[in-house]
Amino acid sequence: MMRTRPLKVALLGCGVVGSEVARIMTTHADDLAARIGAPVELAGVAVRRPSKVREGIPAELITTDATALVKRGDIDVVVEVIGGIEPARTLITTAFEHGASVVSANKALLAQDGAALHAAAEENDKDLYYEAAVAGAIPLIRPLRESLAGDKVNRVLGIVNGTTNFILDKMDSTGAGYQEALDEATALGYAEADPTADVEGFDAAAKAAILAGMAFHTRVRLDDVYREGMTEVTAADFASAKEMGCTIKLLAICERAQDGGSVTARVHPAMIPLTHPLASVRGAYNAVFVESDAAGQLMFYGPGAGGAPTASAVLGDLVAVCRNRLSGATGPGESAYAALPVSPMGDVVTRYHISLDVADKPGVLAQVATVFAEHGVSIDTVRQQGKDGEASLVVVTHRASDASLSGTVEALRSLDTVRGVASIMRVEGE
């Protein structure tokens, strides 16, 4: 039997995502009520600009006093889609203290203060759900937190930012330079006027922190994630990648060490073989590849941003949280029992593609090979081209630690025959 008293929802933020959440709550009200077991009612919407016309939302629901809204005491669920650290953090903890569970899409806040927010939710016996914080509409948090809870996840490798994937895809498919591809992404609305958070990897790093914590039952904060942007990727890098049968993606990579004693989380551009499933992810789409002991290899793919896709994830969490409210239960909270240390980037082992500008004369290759050997870095392949006294030398290594590779590069720079290091890129996905 359906309960007649509605569950009341407070919406914090009514921008691209918030307005879609409100629209779906209204247009799908009957279906949502049937799935939950009770009606859901939009009880208030906190905004910064109350004069803006918001179609479908009664004016009496609009307020600029978000604090008063979450303190009302009759609110069952607060949906937070304003983003940023403050006032979102204070509003969420206030909501818990006044009896509401929370659904959030705030990746930056969760990556920075997820442990404290989970503790506040547990202290007040409330839910904190955030499927929409990573990869938009793609179901990813819930599979990691629930479906794979009995398995051991060893690696999460993914494209989790649509803007950067669109730019790199354009560079790959058309031969465009970085700025040209960025300009097109901006014109089409895929890139913000200030794209720094995307192209410098901040957005992906926040998502990597959340994914690593979820996958490895360990608290991983944004500061633990190594981050490298993709603004230095060039058309020449893509030409080199194609010669290797690869393409280039900005990847979020979360790994458990082979001995199981530590984890790493990192975001950086990488060459990836065309045979890998992630290589075929085009445009502004996202995809995440998960490797675990029992389930093996899993891939999650779909639109990773946008109003409607993100709202879909928010509404999925809203249904789950409302069901919990009706049953008097709470869903899974933070799982950080493993408490594994997060290793520094220097410990990460992978393959490398290094392009060197060198003098075109006998003995250069031998000198370069000696430097690699002295630093314990094994060479897989070498390709050399040159004329008129100048040459390029492309070296692809076997797996080596980041620290050993850094030492190698520093030693190479000291050689008289090495004019410069044109590019260094990791090779992943093998």
Side-chain angles (χ1 to χ4, degrees):
M1 178 181 296
M2 182 177 295
R3 193 181 81 165
T4 56
R5 185 180 76 79
L7 291 160
K8 294 188 177 184
V9 178
L11 179 61
L12 306 183
C14 199
V16 173
V17 176
S19 59
E20 279 295 311
V21 171
R23 183 189 67 80
I24 295 172
M25 284 185 64
T26 301
T27 58
H28 295 180
D30 290 343
D31 285 341
L32 290 172
R35 294 166 192 170
I36 292 168
V40 287
E41 172 188 309
L42 191 58
V45 182
V47 300
R48 286 187 298 175
R49 295 184 292 274
S51 60
K52 181 179 178 180
V53 176
R54 293 173 172 83
E55 186 177 347
I57 301 178
E60 61 269 20
L61 295 183
I62 301 296
T63 179
T64 58
D65 194 342
T67 301
L69 179 59
V70 300
K71 283 184 174 181
R72 274 177 38 173
D74 64 336
I75 300 297
D76 294 288
V77 184
V78 169
V79 174
E80 183 272 307
V81 289
I82 57 177
I85 306 302
E86 288 292 358
R89 173 170 48 198
T90 298
L91 290 170
I92 288 173
T93 55
T94 302
F96 290 141
E97 291 165 0
H98 286 78
S101 289
V102 173
V103 172
S104 176
N106 196 330
K107 54 187 171 289
L109 177 58
L110 289 159
Q112 178 172 307
D113 287 324
L117 294 179
H118 275 292
E122 184 177 358
E123 181 181 348
N124 291 279
D125 197 26
K126 296 296 179 288
D127 276 323
L128 174 62
Y129 276 49
Y130 43 90
E131 184 68 62
V134 180
I138 304 172
L140 186 58
I141 297 297
R142 190 168 287 112
L144 285 173
R145 183 159 65 173
E146 299 179 26
S147 303
L148 296 173
D151 205 344
K152 179 184 178 184
V153 175
N154 296 309
R155 196 177 197 222
V156 179
L157 173 78
I159 299 164
V160 294
N161 183 278
T163 299
T164 54
N165 199 60
F166 179 88
I167 293 170
L168 292 172
D169 185 33
K170 279 295 175 183
M171 293 177 69
D172 184 29
S173 60
T174 69
Y178 166 75
Q179 189 61 49
E180 183 183 351
L182 172 60
D183 290 344
E184 182 174 353
T186 303
L188 292 173
Y190 291 123
E192 301 286 345
D194 180 1
T196 302
D198 294 322
V199 300
E200 294 294 352
F202 291 101
D203 176 84
K207 296 170 181 176
I210 295 170
L211 290 174
M214 196 73 64
F216 307 133
H217 306 280
T218 291
R219 288 177 178 168
V220 179
R221 300 180 74 252
L222 181 58
D223 292 345
D224 296 321
V225 181
Y226 172 84
R227 177 195 54 80
E228 185 180 316
M230 42 77 73
T231 58
E232 300 301 318
V233 176
T234 66
D237 292 326
F238 273 100
S240 293
K242 287 181 179 180
E243 290 180 357
M244 291 179 58
C246 294
T247 188
I248 299 171
K249 300 291 186 182
L250 184 74
L251 298 178
I253 306 170
C254 312
E255 293 179 306
R256 187 191 300 269
Q258 288 190 341
D259 63 6
S262 64
V263 299
T264 58
R266 50 196 165 103
V267 168
H268 54 72
M271 294 182 179
I272 188 167
L274 294 175
T275 53
H276 193 281
L278 291 179
S280 62
V281 179
R282 312 305 294 250
Y285 276 72
N286 285 191
V288 177
F289 203 69
V290 178
E291 301 174 7
S292 69
D293 277 359
Q297 297 178 329
L298 307 170
M299 183 167 165
F300 301 84
Y301 169 85
T310 306
S312 172
V314 169
L315 267 295
D317 279 350
L318 179 63
V319 169
V321 170
C322 285
R323 287 172 174 169
N324 291 342
R325 296 282 289 194
L326 289 179
S327 66
T330 56
E334 183 188 31
S335 176
Y337 73 90
L340 296 171
V342 182
S343 295
M345 186 63 188
D347 292 347
V348 170
V349 175
T350 188
R351 297 176 66 206
Y352 290 86
H353 176 282
I354 304 102
S355 179
L356 304 171
D357 295 326
V358 299
D360 185 16
K361 64 185 198 178
V364 173
L365 179 57
Q367 283 185 321
V368 169
T370 298
V371 169
F372 276 88
E374 288 174 346
H375 287 80
V377 179
S378 175
I379 294 176
D380 183 15
T381 62
V382 178
R383 185 174 70 256
Q384 185 173 11
Q385 295 177 323
K387 63 179 181 179
D388 299 327
E390 298 297 330
S392 63
L393 192 65
V394 176
V395 178
V396 179
T397 74
H398 288 291
R399 291 174 65 83
S401 73
D402 189 81
S404 62
L405 196 282
S406 295
T408 303
V409 171
E410 286 304 309
L412 289 171
R413 294 183 195 275
S414 68
L415 294 177
D416 292 338
T417 51
V418 175
R419 310 297 194 214
V421 180
S423 69
I424 303 171
M425 192 166 294
R426 297 168 183 86
V427 182
E428 302 285 348
E430 294 183 320

